[in-house]
Amino acid sequence: MAAIGKVAFVGIGNMGWPMAANLVKAGFDVTVCDVVPGRADAFAAETGGNAAASPADAAAGADAVVTIVPTSKQVAEAVEAMLPSLTKGMLVIDMTSGQPGRTREIAASLAAKGVAMIDCPVSGGVPRAKTGQLAIMAGGEDADLDRADAVLKAMGTSIHRCGPIGAGQAMKALNNLVSAGGYLIGIEALLIGQRFGLDPAKMVDVLNASTGMNNSTQKKFKEYVLSRRFDAGFGLDLMVKDLSIALEVGRETTTPTPFAALCREMWASAAALLGPGADHTAVAKLSEQMSGTVLGGNQEK
């Protein structure tokens, strides 16, 4: 297969924009499209990439298509819209945190047309999307992953081949399950400590020097919770979706998931409490409400 030079990029939201921008910086010929009117034109004006009015227009003449949208349903809709422009030998790189089973169905339909598909969801959030230092969890045939290597390396510094198509998305959902569980238990620990009389900021420092350290203690509690900013750039609704996918994988593999089920229920309850548009770090407000305590506020609610 020929090397990838021209890339269509579908979905330039909080993550997709900086990821596509890094492809432009790496020298790829990038054409973007997005459901938000004017966003593709703004991207082209700012980065030097190209704008398209639709997925089909973006994919026309491309060597590869990158999709990063909220759900697998939207991936399927984008692929359906692109079908007139997809030709034999093209590669679809789905970087959505999607459903492995649905992705396998989409891949099978594309394979019948001679179009290969790999799944490559990412971890690292907006800050690492901007610096091109994402962790990428990849699933698919080795030959297709080899072909996508230069594209993926323009966006990430840690690329993990997890297995066949769908394996990357299963790994991403399970990664977020571990992250979500660590976040919740950390928030509970801070609430217990504050009510005991400990300074939550000092607690974070101690956790980060001890065995309780995790990604949330290192990068979220001071930055987004104790500061009361709650603006890390990843939606609470998207975390609930990823946890639901993790449980779906658990059911498909007949694995008992009592803690994962409780974790997902807690996050879903927070989403219902806080409503649409909440950042995932705001899940702390659910635990605060249950305890009647505001972290860092030193006051009762």
Side-chain angles (χ1 to χ4, degrees):
M1 290 289 185
I4 294 172
K6 185 173 181 179
V7 178
F9 203 105
V10 180
I12 48 170
N14 289 339
M15 293 290 289
W17 181 300
M19 291 165 65
N22 281 326
L23 289 178
V24 174
K25 290 176 187 175
F28 291 95
D29 180 357
V30 180
T31 300
V32 304
C33 68
D34 194 87
V35 295
V36 177
R39 190 162 176 84
D41 289 328
F43 176 90
E46 181 175 312
T47 70
N50 309 298
S54 69
D57 289 344
D63 302 308
V65 177
V66 174
T67 53
I68 180 163
V69 292
T71 68
S72 290
K73 180 178 183 292
Q74 289 164 299
V75 174
E77 291 169 350
V79 168
E80 181 69 24
M82 286 187 287
L83 282 179
S85 300
L86 298 181
T87 57
K88 186 175 181 180
M90 289 179 67
L91 178 64
V92 173
I93 305 170
D94 182 25
M95 307 192 80
T96 302
S97 296
Q99 299 166 269
R102 186 71 184 94
T103 297
R104 287 173 176 174
E105 293 173 359
I106 298 169
S109 68
L110 288 172
K113 299 180 180 297
V115 177
M117 183 178 186
I118 59 176
D119 64 299
C120 299
V122 303
S123 182
V126 174
R128 284 169 61 184
K130 290 179 178 178
T131 60
Q133 295 177 306
L134 291 167
I136 300 175
M137 293 151 262
E141 296 293 331
D142 282 338
D144 299 324
L145 294 171
D146 288 343
R147 188 176 177 214
D149 194 56
V151 174
L152 299 179
K153 284 181 176 176
M155 297 179 282
T157 51
S158 177
I159 301 167
H160 304 272
R161 297 191 180 190
C162 299
I165 186 74
Q169 291 175 339
M171 185 65 246
K172 171 61 189 291
L174 295 171
N175 172 77
N176 277 15
L177 172 62
V178 174
S179 177
Y183 190 99
L184 283 181
I185 202 65
I187 290 295
E188 287 192 10
L190 294 186
L191 285 165
I192 294 168
Q194 180 168 306
R195 290 170 70 90
F196 178 80
L198 297 172
D199 177 358
K202 175 59 69 175
M203 287 184 70
V204 174
D205 291 338
V206 174
L207 289 168
N208 283 333
S210 308
T211 57
M213 174 181 61
N214 63 31
N215 178 262
S216 295
T217 66
Q218 290 179 312
K219 299 181 180 180
K220 297 180 182 179
F221 288 165
K222 282 189 176 182
E223 291 81 352
Y224 304 114
V225 180
L226 300 185
S227 71
R228 314 309 292 173
R229 286 171 49 192
F230 301 114
D231 60 353
F234 180 63
L236 177 53
D237 57 335
L238 295 178
M239 180 65 89
V240 175
K241 179 206 70 173
D242 288 350
L243 297 178
S244 299
I245 293 170
L247 286 180
E248 183 178 301
V249 174
R251 287 192 298 270
E252 291 173 353
T253 56
T254 64
T255 306
T257 57
F259 181 75
L262 175 60
C263 181
R264 188 263 173 203
E265 189 63 28
M266 292 279 289
W267 283 83
S269 296
L273 173 71
L274 299 173
D279 189 81
H280 81 285
T281 55
V283 72
K285 294 180 180 180
L286 175 66
S287 297
E288 289 179 333
Q289 185 155 347
M290 289 191 293
S291 69
T293 302
V294 176
L295 277 172
N298 294 316
Q299 77 255 24
E300 298 302 304
K301 292 185 70 176

